[in-house]
Amino acid sequence: MSTDQPPPGPPPDDDPFAKRPPEPPQGPPPGPPPPGSPYDNPYPPPPPYGGYGGGYGGSDPLSGMPPLAETGRRVLARLIDWVIIAVPLAIIGIPFDIYDRATVDGDDFQATWTGGGQLVFQLLTIVAYVTYDTVLTAQRGQTVGKRLMKLRVAMLNDGSTPPMSQSLLRAIVLWLPALICCACLWPLLILILIMVDKPYKQGLHDKAAKTVVVTVPQ
């Protein structure tokens, strides 16, 4: 079970998605309760279990937030984002001869990946994916794919839009390993963790940034 909890603190006033603290409950009337009043019970019943795993009588960080996003919609949103970045990069990569170099076999294959043009293009690819994810997530909590799928990224503790620092950390953990060495294994590992993680459906990038992905209210 996930136990990640971000540091406490009030959400920014200008964030329309952030949860607001609940109104203080109305207490019993002043003075001693009359005979037979429910307030004379010294052991009131505990609050019911609620939410995504706050525990019996515990605090649920997702209380008051929209439901967690479905895994299928998250995958579709990520595929949309990947295409949006991959198509321009494929065109930009033509001057770098990435397609001619990719056909080299044998011992020369490793040399082509460490060559000057290929290295520059790889760095450009990393910057493009990380910047795209970081900037859009920090602005509205939504990349283009998430906006189309009616999803958004939220801080686990208060539901606010992730700040730039958390958005950058999330994007680095999400994209860097996949773009450097683990193009197939890393996305698969993140997907499996999202499917099995309880109760917040967090991938490794969500755990690092202490975020969750929720649906956008219609």
Side-chain angles (χ1 to χ4, degrees), residues 64-95:
M65 289 174 62
L68 292 171
E70 298 175 359
T71 303
R73 292 170 68 182
R74 293 184 66 172
V75 172
L76 288 176
R78 186 59 62 195
L79 289 176
I80 293 172
D81 292 331
W82 179 82
V83 171
I84 289 175
I85 308 173
V87 171
L89 282 175
I91 298 174
I92 296 173
I94 295 175

PDB file of all heavy atoms in Angstrom, residues 64-95:
ATOM      1  N   GLY A  64     -12.790  14.747  -1.090  1.00  0.00           N
ATOM      2  CA  GLY A  64     -13.163  15.989  -1.742  1.00  0.00           C
ATOM      3  C   GLY A  64     -12.573  16.165  -3.122  1.00  0.00           C
ATOM      4  O   GLY A  64     -12.851  17.167  -3.785  1.00  0.00           O
ATOM      5  N   MET A  65     -11.757  15.211  -3.581  1.00  0.00           N
ATOM      6  CA  MET A  65     -11.165  15.287  -4.906  1.00  0.00           C
ATOM      7  C   MET A  65     -11.943  14.394  -5.875  1.00  0.00           C
ATOM      8  O   MET A  65     -12.658  13.489  -5.455  1.00  0.00           O
ATOM      9  CB  MET A  65      -9.691  14.858  -4.871  1.00  0.00           C
ATOM     10  CG  MET A  65      -8.784  15.858  -4.191  1.00  0.00           C
ATOM     11  SD  MET A  65      -7.079  15.244  -3.996  1.00  0.00           S
ATOM     12  CE  MET A  65      -6.614  15.017  -5.705  1.00  0.00           C
ATOM     13  N   PRO A  66     -11.806  14.631  -7.194  1.00  0.00           N
ATOM     14  CA  PRO A  66     -12.473  13.764  -8.172  1.00  0.00           C
ATOM     15  C   PRO A  66     -11.913  12.343  -8.095  1.00  0.00           C
ATOM     16  O   PRO A  66     -10.848  12.108  -7.508  1.00  0.00           O
ATOM     17  CB  PRO A  66     -12.135  14.416  -9.518  1.00  0.00           C
ATOM     18  CG  PRO A  66     -11.732  15.810  -9.182  1.00  0.00           C
ATOM     19  CD  PRO A  66     -11.121  15.763  -7.826  1.00  0.00           C
ATOM     20  N   PRO A  67     -12.601  11.380  -8.705  1.00  0.00           N
ATOM     21  CA  PRO A  67     -12.116   9.996  -8.679  1.00  0.00           C
ATOM     22  C   PRO A  67     -10.771   9.856  -9.387  1.00  0.00           C
ATOM     23  O   PRO A  67     -10.435  10.639 -10.284  1.00  0.00           O
ATOM     24  CB  PRO A  67     -13.220   9.226  -9.418  1.00  0.00           C
ATOM     25  CG  PRO A  67     -14.423  10.106  -9.383  1.00  0.00           C
ATOM     26  CD  PRO A  67     -13.915  11.513  -9.359  1.00  0.00           C
ATOM     27  N   LEU A  68     -10.024   8.859  -8.990  1.00  0.00           N
ATOM     28  CA  LEU A  68      -8.762   8.553  -9.661  1.00  0.00           C
ATOM     29  C   LEU A  68      -9.016   8.158 -11.111  1.00  0.00           C
ATOM     30  O   LEU A  68     -10.051   7.585 -11.443  1.00  0.00           O
ATOM     31  CB  LEU A  68      -8.029   7.418  -8.931  1.00  0.00           C
ATOM     32  CG  LEU A  68      -7.493   7.750  -7.537  1.00  0.00           C
ATOM     33  CD1 LEU A  68      -6.996   6.482  -6.858  1.00  0.00           C
ATOM     34  CD2 LEU A  68      -6.373   8.776  -7.623  1.00  0.00           C
ATOM     35  N   ALA A  69      -8.061   8.465 -11.969  1.00  0.00           N
ATOM     36  CA  ALA A  69      -8.211   8.205 -13.397  1.00  0.00           C
ATOM     37  C   ALA A  69      -8.141   6.710 -13.692  1.00  0.00           C
ATOM     38  O   ALA A  69      -7.402   5.963 -13.035  1.00  0.00           O
ATOM     39  CB  ALA A  69      -7.127   8.938 -14.177  1.00  0.00           C
ATOM     40  N   GLU A  70      -8.887   6.289 -14.684  1.00  0.00           N
ATOM     41  CA  GLU A  70      -8.812   4.906 -15.137  1.00  0.00           C
ATOM     42  C   GLU A  70      -7.497   4.678 -15.870  1.00  0.00           C
ATOM     43  O   GLU A  70      -6.992   5.565 -16.572  1.00  0.00           O
ATOM     44  CB  GLU A  70      -9.984   4.600 -16.069  1.00  0.00           C
ATOM     45  CG  GLU A  70     -11.347   4.748 -15.414  1.00  0.00           C
ATOM     46  CD  GLU A  70     -12.466   4.558 -16.419  1.00  0.00           C
ATOM     47  OE1 GLU A  70     -12.159   4.328 -17.615  1.00  0.00           O
ATOM     48  OE2 GLU A  70     -13.638   4.648 -16.015  1.00  0.00           O
ATOM     49  N   THR A  71      -6.951   3.484 -15.721  1.00  0.00           N
ATOM     50  CA  THR A  71      -5.658   3.180 -16.331  1.00  0.00           C
ATOM     51  C   THR A  71      -5.701   3.303 -17.848  1.00  0.00           C
ATOM     52  O   THR A  71      -4.776   3.835 -18.466  1.00  0.00           O
ATOM     53  CB  THR A  71      -5.213   1.758 -15.937  1.00  0.00           C
ATOM     54  OG1 THR A  71      -5.160   1.654 -14.506  1.00  0.00           O
ATOM     55  CG2 THR A  71      -3.848   1.438 -16.507  1.00  0.00           C
ATOM     56  N   GLY A  72      -6.776   2.837 -18.474  1.00  0.00           N
ATOM     57  CA  GLY A  72      -6.880   2.907 -19.927  1.00  0.00           C
ATOM     58  C   GLY A  72      -6.833   4.329 -20.447  1.00  0.00           C
ATOM     59  O   GLY A  72      -6.187   4.623 -21.454  1.00  0.00           O
ATOM     60  N   ARG A  73      -7.494   5.243 -19.771  1.00  0.00           N
ATOM     61  CA  ARG A  73      -7.487   6.641 -20.189  1.00  0.00           C
ATOM     62  C   ARG A  73      -6.110   7.264 -19.994  1.00  0.00           C
ATOM     63  O   ARG A  73      -5.687   8.116 -20.787  1.00  0.00           O
ATOM     64  CB  ARG A  73      -8.557   7.411 -19.429  1.00  0.00           C
ATOM     65  CG  ARG A  73      -9.972   7.002 -19.811  1.00  0.00           C
ATOM     66  CD  ARG A  73     -11.005   7.592 -18.874  1.00  0.00           C
ATOM     67  NE  ARG A  73     -11.098   9.049 -19.004  1.00  0.00           N
ATOM     68  CZ  ARG A  73     -11.912   9.786 -18.254  1.00  0.00           C
ATOM     69  NH1 ARG A  73     -12.686   9.197 -17.341  1.00  0.00           N
ATOM     70  NH2 ARG A  73     -11.968  11.098 -18.411  1.00  0.00           N
ATOM     71  N   ARG A  74      -5.413   6.848 -18.960  1.00  0.00           N
ATOM     72  CA  ARG A  74      -4.053   7.348 -18.766  1.00  0.00           C
ATOM     73  C   ARG A  74      -3.132   6.882 -19.887  1.00  0.00           C
ATOM     74  O   ARG A  74      -2.276   7.643 -20.363  1.00  0.00           O
ATOM     75  CB  ARG A  74      -3.510   6.896 -17.402  1.00  0.00           C
ATOM     76  CG  ARG A  74      -4.200   7.510 -16.219  1.00  0.00           C
ATOM     77  CD  ARG A  74      -3.569   7.120 -14.903  1.00  0.00           C
ATOM     78  NE  ARG A  74      -2.210   7.658 -14.770  1.00  0.00           N
ATOM     79  CZ  ARG A  74      -1.496   7.596 -13.650  1.00  0.00           C
ATOM     80  NH1 ARG A  74      -2.010   7.021 -12.574  1.00  0.00           N
ATOM     81  NH2 ARG A  74      -0.283   8.103 -13.600  1.00  0.00           N
ATOM     82  N   VAL A  75      -3.279   5.626 -20.298  1.00  0.00           N
ATOM     83  CA  VAL A  75      -2.446   5.104 -21.387  1.00  0.00           C
ATOM     84  C   VAL A  75      -2.733   5.855 -22.685  1.00  0.00           C
ATOM     85  O   VAL A  75      -1.805   6.244 -23.414  1.00  0.00           O
ATOM     86  CB  VAL A  75      -2.684   3.595 -21.561  1.00  0.00           C
ATOM     87  CG1 VAL A  75      -1.986   3.079 -22.810  1.00  0.00           C
ATOM     88  CG2 VAL A  75      -2.189   2.834 -20.330  1.00  0.00           C
ATOM     89  N   LEU A  76      -4.009   6.088 -22.985  1.00  0.00           N
ATOM     90  CA  LEU A  76      -4.353   6.823 -24.203  1.00  0.00           C
ATOM     91  C   LEU A  76      -3.809   8.239 -24.160  1.00  0.00           C
ATOM     92  O   LEU A  76      -3.301   8.755 -25.172  1.00  0.00           O
ATOM     93  CB  LEU A  76      -5.870   6.842 -24.379  1.00  0.00           C
ATOM     94  CG  LEU A  76      -6.526   5.523 -24.796  1.00  0.00           C
ATOM     95  CD1 LEU A  76      -8.044   5.682 -24.834  1.00  0.00           C
ATOM     96  CD2 LEU A  76      -6.005   5.066 -26.149  1.00  0.00           C
ATOM     97  N   ALA A  77      -3.906   8.885 -23.021  1.00  0.00           N
ATOM     98  CA  ALA A  77      -3.370  10.244 -22.891  1.00  0.00           C
ATOM     99  C   ALA A  77      -1.867  10.261 -23.124  1.00  0.00           C
ATOM    100  O   ALA A  77      -1.330  11.154 -23.801  1.00  0.00           O
ATOM    101  CB  ALA A  77      -3.707  10.803 -21.508  1.00  0.00           C
ATOM    102  N   ARG A  78      -1.169   9.260 -22.602  1.00  0.00           N
ATOM    103  CA  ARG A  78       0.288   9.214 -22.779  1.00  0.00           C
ATOM    104  C   ARG A  78       0.648   8.939 -24.235  1.00  0.00           C
ATOM    105  O   ARG A  78       1.630   9.501 -24.755  1.00  0.00           O
ATOM    106  CB  ARG A  78       0.873   8.132 -21.860  1.00  0.00           C
ATOM    107  CG  ARG A  78       2.377   8.076 -21.845  1.00  0.00           C
ATOM    108  CD  ARG A  78       2.974   9.387 -21.401  1.00  0.00           C
ATOM    109  NE  ARG A  78       2.582   9.744 -20.044  1.00  0.00           N
ATOM    110  CZ  ARG A  78       2.730  10.956 -19.529  1.00  0.00           C
ATOM    111  NH1 ARG A  78       3.221  11.932 -20.279  1.00  0.00           N
ATOM    112  NH2 ARG A  78       2.358  11.218 -18.293  1.00  0.00           N
ATOM    113  N   LEU A  79      -0.096   8.102 -24.915  1.00  0.00           N
ATOM    114  CA  LEU A  79       0.166   7.841 -26.328  1.00  0.00           C
ATOM    115  C   LEU A  79      -0.033   9.102 -27.171  1.00  0.00           C
ATOM    116  O   LEU A  79       0.740   9.379 -28.095  1.00  0.00           O
ATOM    117  CB  LEU A  79      -0.742   6.717 -26.831  1.00  0.00           C
ATOM    118  CG  LEU A  79      -0.431   5.309 -26.313  1.00  0.00           C
ATOM    119  CD1 LEU A  79      -1.470   4.322 -26.814  1.00  0.00           C
ATOM    120  CD2 LEU A  79       0.969   4.866 -26.733  1.00  0.00           C
ATOM    121  N   ILE A  80      -1.065   9.876 -26.847  1.00  0.00           N
ATOM    122  CA  ILE A  80      -1.297  11.132 -27.564  1.00  0.00           C
ATOM    123  C   ILE A  80      -0.117  12.078 -27.369  1.00  0.00           C
ATOM    124  O   ILE A  80       0.380  12.692 -28.323  1.00  0.00           O
ATOM    125  CB  ILE A  80      -2.618  11.769 -27.091  1.00  0.00           C
ATOM    126  CG1 ILE A  80      -3.809  10.914 -27.520  1.00  0.00           C
ATOM    127  CG2 ILE A  80      -2.753  13.191 -27.637  1.00  0.00           C
ATOM    128  CD1 ILE A  80      -5.130  11.370 -26.932  1.00  0.00           C
ATOM    129  N   ASP A  81       0.339  12.200 -26.136  1.00  0.00           N
ATOM    130  CA  ASP A  81       1.484  13.076 -25.862  1.00  0.00           C
ATOM    131  C   ASP A  81       2.725  12.597 -26.597  1.00  0.00           C
ATOM    132  O   ASP A  81       3.504  13.406 -27.122  1.00  0.00           O
ATOM    133  CB  ASP A  81       1.746  13.130 -24.358  1.00  0.00           C
ATOM    134  CG  ASP A  81       0.632  13.839 -23.597  1.00  0.00           C
ATOM    135  OD1 ASP A  81      -0.006  14.734 -24.190  1.00  0.00           O
ATOM    136  OD2 ASP A  81       0.402  13.505 -22.420  1.00  0.00           O
ATOM    137  N   TRP A  82       2.919  11.284 -26.627  1.00  0.00           N
ATOM    138  CA  TRP A  82       4.107  10.742 -27.301  1.00  0.00           C
ATOM    139  C   TRP A  82       4.085  11.080 -28.795  1.00  0.00           C
ATOM    140  O   TRP A  82       5.100  11.478 -29.362  1.00  0.00           O
ATOM    141  CB  TRP A  82       4.165   9.231 -27.092  1.00  0.00           C
ATOM    142  CG  TRP A  82       5.330   8.589 -27.768  1.00  0.00           C
ATOM    143  CD1 TRP A  82       6.616   8.511 -27.306  1.00  0.00           C
ATOM    144  CD2 TRP A  82       5.332   7.942 -29.044  1.00  0.00           C
ATOM    145  NE1 TRP A  82       7.406   7.860 -28.210  1.00  0.00           N
ATOM    146  CE2 TRP A  82       6.647   7.497 -29.286  1.00  0.00           C
ATOM    147  CE3 TRP A  82       4.344   7.686 -29.993  1.00  0.00           C
ATOM    148  CZ2 TRP A  82       7.002   6.816 -30.441  1.00  0.00           C
ATOM    149  CZ3 TRP A  82       4.695   7.013 -31.152  1.00  0.00           C
ATOM    150  CH2 TRP A  82       6.008   6.588 -31.365  1.00  0.00           C
ATOM    151  N   VAL A  83       2.927  10.938 -29.426  1.00  0.00           N
ATOM    152  CA  VAL A  83       2.817  11.235 -30.852  1.00  0.00           C
ATOM    153  C   VAL A  83       3.049  12.722 -31.116  1.00  0.00           C
ATOM    154  O   VAL A  83       3.718  13.108 -32.088  1.00  0.00           O
ATOM    155  CB  VAL A  83       1.441  10.799 -31.384  1.00  0.00           C
ATOM    156  CG1 VAL A  83       1.225  11.311 -32.808  1.00  0.00           C
ATOM    157  CG2 VAL A  83       1.329   9.281 -31.356  1.00  0.00           C
ATOM    158  N   ILE A  84       2.494  13.576 -30.252  1.00  0.00           N
ATOM    159  CA  ILE A  84       2.639  15.017 -30.436  1.00  0.00           C
ATOM    160  C   ILE A  84       4.110  15.419 -30.458  1.00  0.00           C
ATOM    161  O   ILE A  84       4.516  16.318 -31.222  1.00  0.00           O
ATOM    162  CB  ILE A  84       1.887  15.766 -29.318  1.00  0.00           C
ATOM    163  CG1 ILE A  84       0.373  15.632 -29.532  1.00  0.00           C
ATOM    164  CG2 ILE A  84       2.288  17.238 -29.258  1.00  0.00           C
ATOM    165  CD1 ILE A  84      -0.454  16.225 -28.415  1.00  0.00           C
ATOM    166  N   ILE A  85       4.934  14.771 -29.648  1.00  0.00           N
ATOM    167  CA  ILE A  85       6.356  15.116 -29.611  1.00  0.00           C
ATOM    168  C   ILE A  85       7.145  14.327 -30.648  1.00  0.00           C
ATOM    169  O   ILE A  85       8.090  14.840 -31.259  1.00  0.00           O
ATOM    170  CB  ILE A  85       6.932  14.858 -28.210  1.00  0.00           C
ATOM    171  CG1 ILE A  85       6.067  15.542 -27.151  1.00  0.00           C
ATOM    172  CG2 ILE A  85       8.362  15.360 -28.110  1.00  0.00           C
ATOM    173  CD1 ILE A  85       6.463  15.217 -25.740  1.00  0.00           C
ATOM    174  N   ALA A  86       6.781  13.071 -30.876  1.00  0.00           N
ATOM    175  CA  ALA A  86       7.573  12.199 -31.743  1.00  0.00           C
ATOM    176  C   ALA A  86       7.532  12.637 -33.198  1.00  0.00           C
ATOM    177  O   ALA A  86       8.535  12.531 -33.915  1.00  0.00           O
ATOM    178  CB  ALA A  86       7.096  10.756 -31.608  1.00  0.00           C
ATOM    179  N   VAL A  87       6.386  13.107 -33.669  1.00  0.00           N
ATOM    180  CA  VAL A  87       6.279  13.487 -35.080  1.00  0.00           C
ATOM    181  C   VAL A  87       7.203  14.657 -35.426  1.00  0.00           C
ATOM    182  O   VAL A  87       7.975  14.576 -36.392  1.00  0.00           O
ATOM    183  CB  VAL A  87       4.810  13.791 -35.440  1.00  0.00           C
ATOM    184  CG1 VAL A  87       4.712  14.393 -36.833  1.00  0.00           C
ATOM    185  CG2 VAL A  87       3.968  12.523 -35.348  1.00  0.00           C
ATOM    186  N   PRO A  88       7.183  15.767 -34.685  1.00  0.00           N
ATOM    187  CA  PRO A  88       8.150  16.838 -34.993  1.00  0.00           C
ATOM    188  C   PRO A  88       9.595  16.389 -34.854  1.00  0.00           C
ATOM    189  O   PRO A  88      10.457  16.788 -35.651  1.00  0.00           O
ATOM    190  CB  PRO A  88       7.802  17.939 -33.991  1.00  0.00           C
ATOM    191  CG  PRO A  88       6.391  17.681 -33.608  1.00  0.00           C
ATOM    192  CD  PRO A  88       6.232  16.196 -33.639  1.00  0.00           C
ATOM    193  N   LEU A  89       9.875  15.545 -33.847  1.00  0.00           N
ATOM    194  CA  LEU A  89      11.247  15.077 -33.674  1.00  0.00           C
ATOM    195  C   LEU A  89      11.688  14.209 -34.847  1.00  0.00           C
ATOM    196  O   LEU A  89      12.861  14.244 -35.253  1.00  0.00           O
ATOM    197  CB  LEU A  89      11.370  14.287 -32.369  1.00  0.00           C
ATOM    198  CG  LEU A  89      11.443  15.110 -31.084  1.00  0.00           C
ATOM    199  CD1 LEU A  89      11.429  14.192 -29.865  1.00  0.00           C
ATOM    200  CD2 LEU A  89      12.685  15.998 -31.055  1.00  0.00           C
ATOM    201  N   ALA A  90      10.772  13.428 -35.404  1.00  0.00           N
ATOM    202  CA  ALA A  90      11.120  12.602 -36.554  1.00  0.00           C
ATOM    203  C   ALA A  90      11.520  13.458 -37.746  1.00  0.00           C
ATOM    204  O   ALA A  90      12.435  13.111 -38.507  1.00  0.00           O
ATOM    205  CB  ALA A  90       9.943  11.698 -36.921  1.00  0.00           C
ATOM    206  N   ILE A  91      10.849  14.601 -37.892  1.00  0.00           N
ATOM    207  CA  ILE A  91      11.197  15.505 -38.986  1.00  0.00           C
ATOM    208  C   ILE A  91      12.522  16.207 -38.703  1.00  0.00           C
ATOM    209  O   ILE A  91      13.389  16.335 -39.580  1.00  0.00           O
ATOM    210  CB  ILE A  91      10.072  16.534 -39.192  1.00  0.00           C
ATOM    211  CG1 ILE A  91       8.772  15.811 -39.579  1.00  0.00           C
ATOM    212  CG2 ILE A  91      10.452  17.551 -40.260  1.00  0.00           C
ATOM    213  CD1 ILE A  91       7.568  16.731 -39.662  1.00  0.00           C
ATOM    214  N   ILE A  92      12.700  16.636 -37.460  1.00  0.00           N
ATOM    215  CA  ILE A  92      13.946  17.314 -37.086  1.00  0.00           C
ATOM    216  C   ILE A  92      15.133  16.374 -37.206  1.00  0.00           C
ATOM    217  O   ILE A  92      16.259  16.799 -37.501  1.00  0.00           O
ATOM    218  CB  ILE A  92      13.833  17.864 -35.651  1.00  0.00           C
ATOM    219  CG1 ILE A  92      12.749  18.942 -35.590  1.00  0.00           C
ATOM    220  CG2 ILE A  92      15.157  18.422 -35.160  1.00  0.00           C
ATOM    221  CD1 ILE A  92      12.442  19.430 -34.194  1.00  0.00           C
ATOM    222  N   GLY A  93      14.904  15.072 -36.995  1.00  0.00           N
ATOM    223  CA  GLY A  93      16.007  14.119 -37.009  1.00  0.00           C
ATOM    224  C   GLY A  93      16.590  13.837 -38.376  1.00  0.00           C
ATOM    225  O   GLY A  93      17.666  13.235 -38.473  1.00  0.00           O
ATOM    226  N   ILE A  94      15.912  14.263 -39.441  1.00  0.00           N
ATOM    227  CA  ILE A  94      16.427  13.990 -40.790  1.00  0.00           C
ATOM    228  C   ILE A  94      17.816  14.593 -41.011  1.00  0.00           C
ATOM    229  O   ILE A  94      18.721  13.906 -41.508  1.00  0.00           O
ATOM    230  CB  ILE A  94      15.421  14.485 -41.844  1.00  0.00           C
ATOM    231  CG1 ILE A  94      14.123  13.676 -41.748  1.00  0.00           C
ATOM    232  CG2 ILE A  94      16.007  14.374 -43.250  1.00  0.00           C
ATOM    233  CD1 ILE A  94      13.018  14.168 -42.669  1.00  0.00           C
ATOM    234  N   PRO A  95      18.067  15.863 -40.647  1.00  0.00           N
ATOM    235  CA  PRO A  95      19.421  16.399 -40.843  1.00  0.00           C
ATOM    236  C   PRO A  95      20.494  15.703 -40.018  1.00  0.00           C
ATOM    237  O   PRO A  95      21.687  15.796 -40.339  1.00  0.00           O
ATOM    238  CB  PRO A  95      19.279  17.874 -40.429  1.00  0.00           C
ATOM    239  CG  PRO A  95      17.827  18.167 -40.511  1.00  0.00           C
ATOM    240  CD  PRO A  95      17.140  16.895 -40.178  1.00  0.00           C
TER     241      PRO A  95
END
